[in-house]
Amino acid sequence: MTELLTATAVTKNYGGIVALSRADFSARAGEVHALLGENGAGKSTFIQILAGAVRPNGGTVTLGGQPYRPRHPQDARDAGISPVFQELSLIPDLTVEQNIWFRREPLSFARTVRARALREATEALFARHQFPAIRPDQELRRLTLADRQLVEIAKALSADPKVLILDEATSALGPRETEWLLGLSQGLARAGTLVIYISHRLGEVRQIADRITVFRNGATVAAYDTKEVDDETIIADMLGRRMDRLYPERKPTATDRVAVRLRGFGAGHRLADIDLDLREGEVLGVAGMQGHGQRELFQALFGIGGARGTVEIWGKAKTIRGPRQALTGRDGLALVPEDRRNHGLLLSRSVRENLTLSVISRFTRFGLTDPKREAKLVDEMIAALKIKAGTPEQLAGTLSGGNQQKVIFGKMLLTEARILLLYDPTRGIDVGTKGEIFQLMRDLAAKGYAILFYSSDLAELVHVADRVAVLRNGRLGAVLEGEDNSERQILRAAMIERAA
């Protein structure tokens, strides 16, 4: 088969930082081609070059046998390349349909937007690709992260691309939406589209990818047919070493002391009548189909939005009216949020500032800060979490996704709160960093932290959590543990009245 897209010895430097050093890539029309690597391996830089957002310093790229040198994202779109980036590029104040057709709206002779034609084009696009239900007229800011991800995918598909780039596109999706996207990718490939698929979920890659290319430290280190390679080889190529295990040994560390007790707890219109206990030393998983109340549970516990029912924290009744009240020292709660770039970090500020902004009182006396005390806290946290940053003054927005997430963990741990709310903490994170985060969670549980843990990846809940609370239609469908804690039983509890 003829290669549609080839890249040879592509390089990109940002000052003294090497993002790509002789990256090679070759993919065919009509295939799903997985591009894998750790966070910081150069994948994002490479696809930004393909998308016209970044210009390389060297190397060549051809598309359809012709030199390909996009100078602007519009050049890429005109050439038939549509990216779906992990970090979304949508406009919150516009509706779903306005975002999909932004700057390509059907216009009247008077140069005004033809509202009916816009709606019909959106509905036809959704029908053609069998999109999960989304209202075209809904304002984007009112959608969940998962629904915003679907809008980003719709925007890319609206251009009928020759090359569709999916960068961690399932990381925010639930099981049903993930299966839809995997099926869509295979269907597009059968119709002749090249789908470049970037994911840290090897199960998805093995399910749909025809071939795999692996980047490490900005260079291509391996390329093979998916059927001819095992997971251990893929991981070793990504990391440059063999990984002993992804999931740490799960030793029981929970005590009888209850850290959080919920009775009749609810929030908004989606979450109601939750009776649940989270114990000291426990990792309690939360599962459910997309939109069944997981997000509302975590937000309400952290004081975002109103809540109903009774909440006890370490045996004392408590009403949490806001995040500031939730973060009340060792007896409080800390959150790793769903959207790290928009809700967890100040991207234009340094690693140091992001780590310490919430705990400035720990190194301030009489209104004066102690830089040495601050530097000590920052250095200890960077070392403990193995945050890869040139210096503590490096901007958070320039870090890889995995290191950004580590900064959020560090910020959370510096608050000294012992109840941790982790909302999909490994979303879009490479396998090596995932292993570090899972081990950190189990270590913290062993030290007496109480951890509430939601993941869109059911395998993570099965292997990391002590118990899993399954939400269905905003209510508690089941609490699974032991042999009942399996992906099959979680899905049954999420979709039907009772788990078997």
Side-chain angles (χ1 to χ4, degrees):
M1 295 176 63
T2 304
E3 304 297 311
L4 174 64
L5 178 71
T6 62
T8 305
V10 175
T11 62
K12 179 61 183 178
N13 301 330
Y14 293 95
I17 300 174
V18 178
L20 287 175
S21 60
R22 299 189 61 80
D24 299 325
F25 184 81
S26 179
R28 305 163 184 155
E31 74 170 342
V32 178
H33 195 119
L35 177 59
L36 306 182
E38 285 191 280
N39 290 112
K43 306 184 305 296
S44 294
T45 301
F46 181 70
I47 64 172
Q48 286 171 349
I49 289 171
L50 297 182
V54 169
R55 296 186 190 180
N57 296 119
T60 61
V61 181
T62 64
L63 179 65
Q66 301 298 315
Y68 176 65
R69 303 185 188 93
R71 295 179 174 273
H72 187 273
Q74 186 60 50
D75 295 339
R77 287 191 289 269
D78 291 343
I81 295 181
S82 287
V84 177
F85 292 116
Q86 182 181 355
E87 310 304 341
L88 306 183
S89 60
L90 303 172
I91 303 172
D93 293 327
L94 298 184
T95 64
V96 167
E97 57 195 1
Q98 288 168 341
N99 268 284
I100 291 173
W101 304 101
F102 184 64
R103 293 184 175 175
R104 297 177 294 132
E105 302 90 345
L107 301 177
S108 67
F109 289 114
R111 309 298 295 171
T112 59
V113 175
R114 296 164 53 207
R116 183 173 178 178
L118 186 69
R119 177 65 48 81
E120 290 175 350
T122 305
E123 291 175 345
L125 177 69
F126 285 175
R128 182 164 69 251
H129 297 295
Q130 299 180 324
F131 263 78
I134 304 177
R135 280 176 43 197
D137 63 339
Q138 190 155 17
E139 192 177 67
L140 194 85
R141 68 170 63 254
R142 299 184 181 278
L143 299 182
T144 64
L145 181 61
D147 285 342
R148 295 200 299 272
Q149 182 72 71
L150 292 174
V151 176
E152 188 83 34
I153 294 167
K155 182 178 178 181
L157 290 173
S158 68
D160 292 323
K162 298 176 185 176
V163 180
L164 177 66
I165 302 172
L166 298 175
D167 181 13
E168 294 292 347
T170 64
S171 63
L173 302 182
R176 282 181 176 172
E177 293 81 4
T178 294
E179 285 302 312
W180 164 80
L181 183 58
L182 297 181
L184 174 69
S185 299
Q186 290 177 305
L188 290 170
R190 285 193 297 269
T193 302
L194 165 59
V195 179
I196 299 176
Y197 193 82
I198 300 171
S199 178
H200 293 302
R201 297 176 176 179
L202 291 183
E204 294 177 3
V205 170
R206 194 162 290 286
Q207 182 177 339
I208 68 168
D210 300 291
R211 292 194 294 165
I212 296 171
T213 296
V214 179
F215 282 7
R216 185 174 72 240
N217 296 329
T220 303
V221 295
Y224 24 58
D225 290 338
T226 307
K227 294 179 180 179
E228 297 176 355
V229 65
D230 59 36
D231 289 352
E232 292 304 315
T233 300
I234 295 172
I235 293 171
D237 285 334
M238 290 171 59
L239 302 180
R241 66 185 189 280
R242 288 277 173 179
M243 186 173 179
D244 292 335
R245 58 191 302 170
L246 174 60
Y247 300 111
E249 183 180 358
R250 183 173 49 191
K251 296 180 180 179
T253 55
T255 72
D256 292 332
R257 187 183 183 197
V258 176
V260 180
R261 173 170 282 132
L262 305 179
R263 294 294 181 267
F265 188 76
H269 300 293
R270 291 188 178 180
L271 191 73
D273 300 325
I274 302 297
D275 293 346
L276 192 64
D277 290 345
L278 168 62
R279 300 192 295 264
E280 179 184 53
E282 178 181 35
V283 178
L284 176 60
V286 176
M289 306 306 287
Q290 185 64 42
H292 280 222
Q294 306 94 304
R295 187 168 178 249
E296 288 77 8
L297 173 62
F298 279 72
Q299 288 186 340
L301 281 173
F302 199 58
I304 301 172
R308 305 180 298 275
T310 301
V311 181
E312 291 184 7
I313 305 296
W314 301 113
K316 297 180 180 179
K318 190 167 184 177
T319 301
I320 303 173
R321 295 188 173 87
R324 184 181 295 275
Q325 186 179 354
L327 286 168
T328 52
R330 291 177 59 81
D331 292 335
L333 303 91
L335 173 71
V336 170
E338 174 182 24
D339 186 348
R340 63 173 171 265
R341 290 179 66 89
N342 291 316
H343 299 150
L345 293 170
L346 298 173
L347 298 176
S348 62
R349 311 300 292 186
S350 68
V351 171
R352 171 185 59 80
E353 291 169 300
N354 273 278
L355 284 171
T356 61
L357 185 61
S358 299
V359 294
I360 197 168
S361 60
R362 291 187 61 183
F363 50 87
T364 301
R365 188 176 183 184
F366 304 124
L368 299 175
T369 60
D370 183 345
K372 291 184 178 180
R373 172 62 175 159
E374 180 186 21
K376 184 173 183 294
L377 290 173
V378 170
D379 290 343
E380 288 175 350
M381 193 55 65
I382 288 176
L385 298 182
K386 301 177 183 177
I387 298 171
K388 294 179 182 178
T391 72
E393 298 307 314
Q394 183 173 341
L395 298 184
T398 65
L399 298 179
S400 69
N403 285 295
Q404 288 180 356
Q405 194 73 320
K406 287 182 179 182
V407 172
I408 295 174
F409 264 84
K411 179 176 70 171
M412 175 187 69
L413 293 176
L414 283 174
T415 68
E416 298 185 312
R418 291 183 296 150
I419 300 171
L420 310 181
L421 310 176
L422 311 184
Y423 196 97
D424 223 357
T426 62
R427 183 179 72 85
I429 301 301
D430 66 82
V431 65
T433 306
K434 279 186 180 185
E436 293 177 20
I437 289 176
F438 294 147
Q439 185 63 60
L440 175 64
M441 290 168 60
R442 294 309 317 183
D443 290 346
L444 291 171
K447 294 177 181 178
Y449 285 77
I451 300 174
L452 194 66
F453 166 47
Y454 166 71
S455 176
S456 54
D457 188 337
L458 298 185
E460 295 184 0
L461 296 173
V462 169
H463 289 94
V464 178
D466 299 294
R467 299 183 296 150
V468 176
V470 185
L471 298 183
R472 181 178 50 78
N473 295 326
R475 286 164 171 76
L476 188 61
V479 178
L480 307 174
E481 58 183 314
E483 294 183 357
D484 288 334
N485 182 14
S486 67
E487 293 186 48
R488 179 175 178 271
Q489 291 294 77
I490 290 173
L491 283 173
R492 284 179 60 83
M495 298 177 68
I496 62 178
E497 289 294 330
R498 289 179 177 273

